[in-house]
């Protein structure tokens, strides 16, 4: 008869609560976006949470987290332009295009400031990028990086991205390290850009470091680390949350009277004297009464994403 295994005491279940808002997290290197989300979710004891787009484990920086009502607008941040500070190691190509892969080629680095500027200039504007194998893009339901780990290369269709600007912010000649600030559209692979710039310079390159510093109107300057969150009280954490409408702060605002707000919140179209607009944020008469997102067509305000009455009330009592 096998000896009985000792019964492990169960951890007490932490009670969850309704939390509504946006947290700007400064994600550390080495942690996946989902791992960072789950750690923050536990600290807040939040019932519902999600992030607004994957940031690679090797990358650090801005990861907007949405709680409660804010999750309804996470797609807005996902679709927003991004800003990165990227460090390129010239003269060395690696598997996967970043510093975690094995070196596959080394070439001498003979570049000038003018040559670097010209190479970067070539990649501004609309670009066609082939997603790297070491990415979370899925094929047949499986992320590409899983195929890459098995040594399998699959065909990837090129995608159109826009690189709005590339600014050279540092060059370490002896270490062959080039630092760039890149503003780009969603879906841009910075490791692919690093490799392409390396090829344009004739020496090859890989991504040695990456930090996201901006997402739409959101900035890393207002982000907080997991370590700091863990040290704070629950009240301090809650105070750090931005309201759900922070994700749509650059949309035009419309304010409705109390009766009209109630009808709008029930999903009814409202007549407004406003020009057509693809996206607007809608409020009730109270300053904090964010009702949701809508669009305007032919003088009609048409709801797209609505908060529930319970969520609106929760925001009013914050």
């Amino acid at each position: 008869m096998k000896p009985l295994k000792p019964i492990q005491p169960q951890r007490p279940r932490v009670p969850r609560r309704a939390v509504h808002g946006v947290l700007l997290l400064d994600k550390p290197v080495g942690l996946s976006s989902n791992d960072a989300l789950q750690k923050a979710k536990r600290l807040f004891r939040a019932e519902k949470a999600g992030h607004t787009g994957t940031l690679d484990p090797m990358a650090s920086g801005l990861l907007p987290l949405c709680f409660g009502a804010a999750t309804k607008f996470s797609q807005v941040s996902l679709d927003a332009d991004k800003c990165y500070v990227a460090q390129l190691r010239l003269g060395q190509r690696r598997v996967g295009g970043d510093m975690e892969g094995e070196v596959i080629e080394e070439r001498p680095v003979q570049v000038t400031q003018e040559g670097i500027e010209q190479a970067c200039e070539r990649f501004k504007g609309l670009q066609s990028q082939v997603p790297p194998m070491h990415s979370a893009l899925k094929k047949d339901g499986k992320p590409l990086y899983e195929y890459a780990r098995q040594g399998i290369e699959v065909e990837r269709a090129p995608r159109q991205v826009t690189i709005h600007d590339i600014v050279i912010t540092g060059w370490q000649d002896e270490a062959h390290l080039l630092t760039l600030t890149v503003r780009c559209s969603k879906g841009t692979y910075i490791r692919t850009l690093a490799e392409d710039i390396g090829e344009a310079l004739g020496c090859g390159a890989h991504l040695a470091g990456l930090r996201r510093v901006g997402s739409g109107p959101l900035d890393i300057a207002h982000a907080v680390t997991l370590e700091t969150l863990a040290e704070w009280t629950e009240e301090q954490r809650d105070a750090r949350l931005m309201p759900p409408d922070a994700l749509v702060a650059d949309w035009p605002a419309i304010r409705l009277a109390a009766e009209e707000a109630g009808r709008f919140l029930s999903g009814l179209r409202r007549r407004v004297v406003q020009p057509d607009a693809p996206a607007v944020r809608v409020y009730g008469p109270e300053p904090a009464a964010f009702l949701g997102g809508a669009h305007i067509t032919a003088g009609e305000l048409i709801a797209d994403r609505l908060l529930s009455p319970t969520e609106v009330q929760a925001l009013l009592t914050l």
Side-chain angles (χ1 to χ4, degrees):
M1 183 176 178
K2 293 182 179 179
L4 296 175
K5 293 183 179 179
I7 298 176
Q8 298 293 331
Q10 289 188 341
R11 292 182 180 178
R13 179 170 292 183
V14 177
R16 298 291 181 181
R17 63 194 181 107
V19 179
H20 304 286
V22 180
L23 177 74
L24 302 188
L25 184 70
D26 188 345
K27 187 191 84 66
V29 171
L31 207 60
S32 73
S33 294
N34 188 59
D35 286 343
L37 168 67
Q38 295 307 321
K39 287 178 182 292
K41 185 179 179 181
R42 283 194 294 272
L43 287 169
F44 277 92
R45 299 190 295 115
E47 292 175 347
K48 186 177 182 181
H51 63 67
T52 61
T54 301
L55 193 57
D56 284 352
M58 71 152 287
S60 68
L62 184 61
L63 182 67
L65 303 182
C66 298
F67 296 95
T71 61
K72 296 178 179 181
F73 302 93
S74 59
Q75 187 65 38
V76 176
S77 189
L78 183 63
D79 292 340
D81 288 344
K82 306 295 188 296
C83 185
Y84 298 93
V85 174
Q87 195 169 57
L88 283 59
R89 165 64 160 85
L90 304 186
Q92 198 178 74
R93 291 177 57 237
R94 289 179 178 256
V95 174
D98 62 43
M99 63 185 298
E100 295 178 346
E102 295 181 2
V103 177
I104 54 177
E105 183 184 21
E106 294 201 59
R107 293 187 236 167
V109 178
Q110 298 174 330
V111 298
T112 62
Q113 180 77 17
E114 183 182 8
I116 294 173
E117 290 174 356
Q118 290 175 349
C120 291
E121 194 67 30
R122 287 175 50 182
F123 294 98
K124 293 181 184 179
L126 189 65
Q127 301 288 320
S128 180
Q129 270 195 348
V130 176
M133 281 301 301
H134 287 74
S135 69
L137 192 67
K138 290 185 177 180
K139 180 176 177 60
D140 298 329
K142 190 163 72 171
L144 290 181
Y145 62 74
E146 290 190 13
Y147 292 101
R149 287 169 183 168
Q150 298 169 16
I152 301 172
E153 179 104 5
V154 299
E155 187 175 349
R156 289 97 68 202
R159 56 169 56 184
Q160 296 296 306
V161 300
T162 301
I163 298 176
H164 303 294
D165 199 15
I166 304 176
V167 178
I168 301 168
T169 52
W171 168 242
Q172 299 176 40
D173 194 18
E174 293 185 3
H176 300 155
L177 287 175
L178 173 64
T179 303
L180 305 174
T181 297
V182 182
R183 285 197 310 107
C184 56
S185 65
K186 71 163 188 175
T188 301
Y189 288 100
I190 304 299
R191 73 179 67 203
T192 298
L193 175 65
E195 291 185 309
D196 289 345
I197 289 175
E199 289 307 307
L201 290 169
C203 59
H206 69 265
L207 189 63
L210 183 65
R211 182 165 175 79
R212 185 156 66 193
V213 296
S215 177
L218 308 176
D219 191 273
I220 190 66
H222 306 292
V224 62
T225 65
L226 285 169
E227 289 79 5
T228 299
L229 278 179
E231 293 171 356
W232 283 352
T233 64
E234 194 164 88
E235 291 73 18
Q236 287 174 311
R237 293 182 199 121
D238 288 352
R240 190 57 180 246
L241 289 175
M242 303 167 68
D245 56 337
L247 295 174
V248 295
D250 51 353
W251 291 3
I254 292 207
R255 192 169 296 280
L256 301 176
E259 188 174 335
E260 289 294 288
R263 290 179 176 142
F264 172 79
L265 204 55
S266 68
L268 295 176
R269 299 185 179 194
R270 311 315 305 147
R271 296 297 302 178
V272 292
V273 185
Q274 299 284 345
D276 286 2
V280 295
R281 49 197 165 104
V282 184
Y283 298 85
E286 298 90 346
F290 178 52
L291 307 180
H295 63 278
I296 301 174
T297 301
E300 283 195 320
L301 181 66
I302 305 168
D304 293 319
R305 285 268 190 271
L306 290 174
L307 273 65
S308 70
T310 302
E311 291 169 339
V312 174
Q313 189 60 41
L315 295 177
L316 288 174
T317 57
L318 290 178

